[in-house]
Amino acid sequence: MPGRLAIFDDKTFKDDSKELIKNDMVGVLIPKYNIAPTLPIPALLNNGNYLYTHFGYLPSWAKDKKSMNINARSESIFEKLTFRDSFRYRRCIIPINGFFEWEVEDKQKTPYFVKDSKDDYLAIAGIWDEYFDIDLNMKIVTVALITCDANEKLGKIHHRMPVVLEKKDFSKWLYDENIKEINSLFNIYPSEKLELYEVSSNVNKVLFDESSCIKKVEKIEIGQKTLF
């Protein structure tokens, strides 16, 4: 259940989606290395708009922001009233360069960065809706990432992961009306296509947003000392 994201380069995604993007409202991407819920993230909606959205889904009928969800389970998304209409009519693709998960052991939490093994982006399946934000006095687009069971590699530290879409399935995910066909895209991303490694605990700080967030922690192994 990724609660922190990194998106610092969307050029390849834009190239792969050039026939789907009707209005590029993001323009030059602002690199972000530690995106927490409620912060802006780019998403390509199934109306052709590529724009910044609110990380945290709120249905249009929500009374307040207490009902915000950052993830929606693929196994039950069609059954839940909160997500059902958006799953059917308002799907989106959220391009990220990676996400963070924490390994919990003996009450100690160790952050890991999870990314594509080829240093490419991950196209995450998502849903969206418009919510009237009283504080801003305007409608905002809110999104949730769809999750599934983790693959074997990630499963060692967390049991869930985002649903990652292949380029060939972008159009189907956004526009297909056949629910069975859409459900067929809820596949577990193969372990060999993911890389994960430990990163600095600085990522635990919501306000810390530097490229060092995704830098691998190099562990120094202390060998046996010798006098010779």
Coordinates of all heavy atoms in Angstrom, one line a residue, residues 35-67:
I35 N 6.5 12.2 -2.2 CA 5.2 12.7 -2.3 C 4.3 12.0 -1.3 O 4.1 10.8 -1.5 CB 4.6 12.6 -3.7 CG1 5.5 13.3 -4.8 CG2 3.2 13.2 -3.8 CD1 5.1 13.1 -6.2
A36 N 3.7 12.7 -0.4 CA 2.8 12.1 0.6 C 1.4 12.4 0.2 O 1.1 13.2 -0.7 CB 3.1 12.7 2.0
P37 N 0.4 11.7 0.8 CA -1.0 11.9 0.5 C -1.4 13.4 0.7 O -0.8 14.1 1.6 CB -1.7 11.0 1.5 CG -0.8 9.9 1.7 CD 0.6 10.5 1.6
T38 N -2.3 13.9 -0.1 CA -2.8 15.2 -0.2 C -2.0 16.1 -1.1 O -2.4 17.2 -1.5 CB -3.0 15.9 1.2 OG1 -1.8 16.3 1.7 CG2 -3.8 15.0 2.1
L39 N -0.7 15.7 -1.4 CA 0.1 16.5 -2.3 C -0.2 16.2 -3.8 O -0.8 15.2 -4.1 CB 1.6 16.2 -2.0 CG 2.1 16.6 -0.6 CD1 3.6 16.2 -0.5 CD2 1.9 18.1 -0.4
P40 N 0.1 17.1 -4.7 CA -0.2 17.0 -6.1 C 0.6 15.9 -6.8 O 1.8 15.8 -6.5 CB 0.1 18.4 -6.7 CG 0.2 19.3 -5.6 CD 0.7 18.5 -4.4
I41 N 0.0 15.1 -7.6 CA 0.7 14.1 -8.5 C 0.1 14.2 -9.8 O -1.1 14.4 -10.0 CB 0.6 12.7 -7.9 CG1 -0.8 12.2 -7.7 CG2 1.5 12.5 -6.7 CD1 -0.9 10.8 -7.3
P42 N 0.9 14.0 -10.9 CA 0.3 14.0 -12.3 C -0.5 12.7 -12.6 O -0.1 11.6 -12.1 CB 1.6 14.1 -13.1 CG 2.6 13.5 -12.3 CD 2.3 13.8 -10.9
A43 N -1.5 12.9 -13.4 CA -2.3 11.7 -13.8 C -2.9 12.0 -15.1 O -3.3 13.1 -15.4 CB -3.4 11.4 -12.8
L44 N -3.0 10.9 -16.0 CA -3.7 11.0 -17.3 C -5.1 10.4 -17.1 O -5.3 9.3 -16.8 CB -2.9 10.2 -18.3 CG -3.6 10.1 -19.7 CD1 -3.9 11.4 -20.3 CD2 -2.7 9.2 -20.6
L45 N -6.1 11.3 -17.2 CA -7.5 10.9 -17.0 C -8.0 10.3 -18.3 O -7.5 10.6 -19.4 CB -8.3 12.1 -16.6 CG -7.8 13.0 -15.4 CD1 -8.9 14.0 -15.0 CD2 -7.4 12.1 -14.2
N46 N -9.1 9.6 -18.2 CA -9.7 9.1 -19.4 C -10.6 10.1 -20.2 O -11.3 9.7 -21.1 CB -10.5 7.8 -19.1 CG -11.7 8.0 -18.2 OD1 -11.7 9.1 -17.5 ND2 -12.6 7.1 -18.1
N47 N -10.4 11.4 -19.9 CA -11.0 12.4 -20.7 C -9.9 13.1 -21.5 O -10.1 14.1 -22.2 CB -11.7 13.4 -19.9 CG -10.9 14.1 -18.8 OD1 -9.6 14.0 -18.9 ND2 -11.5 14.8 -17.9
G48 N -8.7 12.5 -21.5 CA -7.6 13.1 -22.3 C -6.7 14.1 -21.6 O -5.7 14.6 -22.1
N49 N -7.1 14.5 -20.4 CA -6.4 15.6 -19.6 C -5.2 14.9 -18.8 O -5.5 14.0 -18.1 CB -7.3 16.3 -18.7 CG -8.3 17.2 -19.4 OD1 -8.0 17.7 -20.5 ND2 -9.4 17.5 -18.8
Y50 N -4.0 15.5 -19.0 CA -2.9 15.1 -18.2 C -2.6 16.3 -17.3 O -2.2 17.4 -17.7 CB -1.7 14.8 -19.1 CG -0.4 14.4 -18.3 CD1 -0.4 13.4 -17.4 CD2 0.8 15.1 -18.6 CE1 0.7 13.0 -16.7 CE2 1.9 14.7 -17.9 CZ 1.9 13.6 -17.0 OH 3.0 13.3 -16.3
L51 N -2.9 16.1 -16.0 CA -2.8 17.3 -15.1 C -2.4 16.8 -13.7 O -2.4 15.6 -13.4 CB -4.2 17.9 -15.0 CG -5.3 17.2 -14.2 CD1 -6.5 18.1 -14.1 CD2 -5.8 15.9 -14.9
Y52 N -2.1 17.8 -12.8 CA -1.9 17.5 -11.4 C -3.2 17.3 -10.7 O -4.2 17.9 -10.9 CB -1.1 18.7 -10.8 CG 0.3 18.8 -11.1 CD1 0.9 19.7 -11.9 CD2 1.2 17.8 -10.6 CE1 2.2 19.8 -12.2 CE2 2.6 17.8 -10.8 CZ 3.1 18.8 -11.7 OH 4.4 18.8 -11.9
T53 N -3.1 16.2 -9.9 CA -4.3 15.8 -9.1 C -4.0 15.7 -7.6 O -2.8 15.8 -7.2 CB -4.8 14.4 -9.6 OG1 -3.8 13.4 -9.3 CG2 -5.1 14.5 -11.1
H54 N -5.0 15.6 -6.8 CA -4.8 15.4 -5.4 C -4.6 14.0 -5.0 O -5.4 13.1 -5.3 CB -6.1 15.9 -4.7 CG -6.2 15.9 -3.2 ND1 -6.6 14.7 -2.6 CD2 -5.9 16.8 -2.3 CE1 -6.6 14.9 -1.3 NE2 -6.2 16.2 -1.1
F55 N -3.4 13.7 -4.4 CA -3.1 12.3 -4.1 C -4.0 11.9 -2.8 O -3.6 12.2 -1.7 CB -1.6 12.2 -3.8 CG -1.2 10.8 -3.3 CD1 -1.9 9.7 -3.6 CD2 0.0 10.6 -2.6 CE1 -1.5 8.4 -3.2 CE2 0.5 9.4 -2.2 CZ -0.3 8.3 -2.5
G56 N -5.0 11.2 -3.1 CA -6.0 10.9 -2.1 C -7.4 11.0 -2.7 O -7.8 12.2 -2.9
Y57 N -8.1 9.9 -2.9 CA -9.3 9.9 -3.6 C -10.5 10.3 -2.7 O -10.7 9.8 -1.5 CB -9.6 8.5 -4.1 CG -10.9 8.3 -4.7 CD1 -11.2 8.6 -6.1 CD2 -12.0 7.7 -4.0 CE1 -12.4 8.4 -6.7 CE2 -13.2 7.5 -4.6 CZ -13.4 7.8 -5.9 OH -14.6 7.6 -6.5
L58 N -11.3 11.2 -3.2 CA -12.6 11.6 -2.5 C -13.7 11.6 -3.5 O -13.6 12.3 -4.6 CB -12.4 13.0 -1.9 CG -11.5 13.2 -0.7 CD1 -11.0 14.6 -0.6 CD2 -12.2 12.8 0.5
P59 N -14.7 10.8 -3.3 CA -15.8 10.8 -4.3 C -16.6 12.2 -4.2 O -16.5 12.9 -3.2 CB -16.7 9.7 -3.7 CG -16.4 9.5 -2.3 CD -14.9 9.9 -2.2
S60 N -17.2 12.5 -5.3 CA -17.9 13.8 -5.4 C -18.9 14.0 -4.2 O -19.2 15.2 -3.8 CB -18.6 14.0 -6.7 OG -19.6 12.9 -6.9
W61 N -19.5 12.9 -3.7 CA -20.5 13.1 -2.7 C -20.0 13.0 -1.2 O -20.7 13.1 -0.3 CB -21.5 12.0 -2.8 CG -21.0 10.6 -3.1 CD1 -20.8 10.0 -4.3 CD2 -20.5 9.7 -2.2 NE1 -20.3 8.8 -4.2 CE2 -20.0 8.5 -2.9 CE3 -20.3 9.7 -0.8 CZ2 -19.5 7.4 -2.3 CZ3 -19.8 8.6 -0.2 CH2 -19.3 7.4 -0.9
A62 N -18.6 12.9 -1.1 CA -18.1 12.9 0.3 C -18.4 14.2 1.0 O -18.3 15.3 0.5 CB -16.6 12.7 0.2
K63 N -18.7 14.0 2.3 CA -19.0 15.2 3.1 C -17.8 16.0 3.6 O -17.8 17.2 3.7 CB -19.8 14.8 4.3 CG -21.2 14.2 4.0 CD -22.0 13.8 5.3 CE -23.3 13.3 4.9 NZ -24.1 12.9 6.1
D64 N -16.7 15.3 3.8 CA -15.5 15.9 4.2 C -14.3 15.1 3.8 O -14.4 14.0 3.2 CB -15.4 16.2 5.7 CG -15.7 15.0 6.5 OD1 -15.0 14.0 6.3 OD2 -16.6 15.0 7.4
K65 N -13.1 15.5 4.1 CA -11.9 14.9 3.7 C -11.5 13.7 4.5 O -10.5 13.0 4.3 CB -10.7 15.8 3.6 CG -10.9 16.9 2.5 CD -9.6 17.8 2.4 CE -9.8 18.8 1.3 NZ -8.6 19.7 1.2
K66 N -12.3 13.4 5.6 CA -12.0 12.3 6.5 C -12.2 11.0 5.8 O -11.6 10.0 6.2 CB -12.9 12.4 7.7 CG -12.6 13.6 8.6 CD -13.5 13.6 9.8 CE -13.3 14.8 10.7 NZ -14.2 14.8 11.9
S67 N -12.9 11.0 4.7 CA -13.2 9.7 4.0 C -12.2 9.5 2.8 O -12.4 8.6 2.0 CB -14.6 9.7 3.4 OG -14.8 10.9 2.6

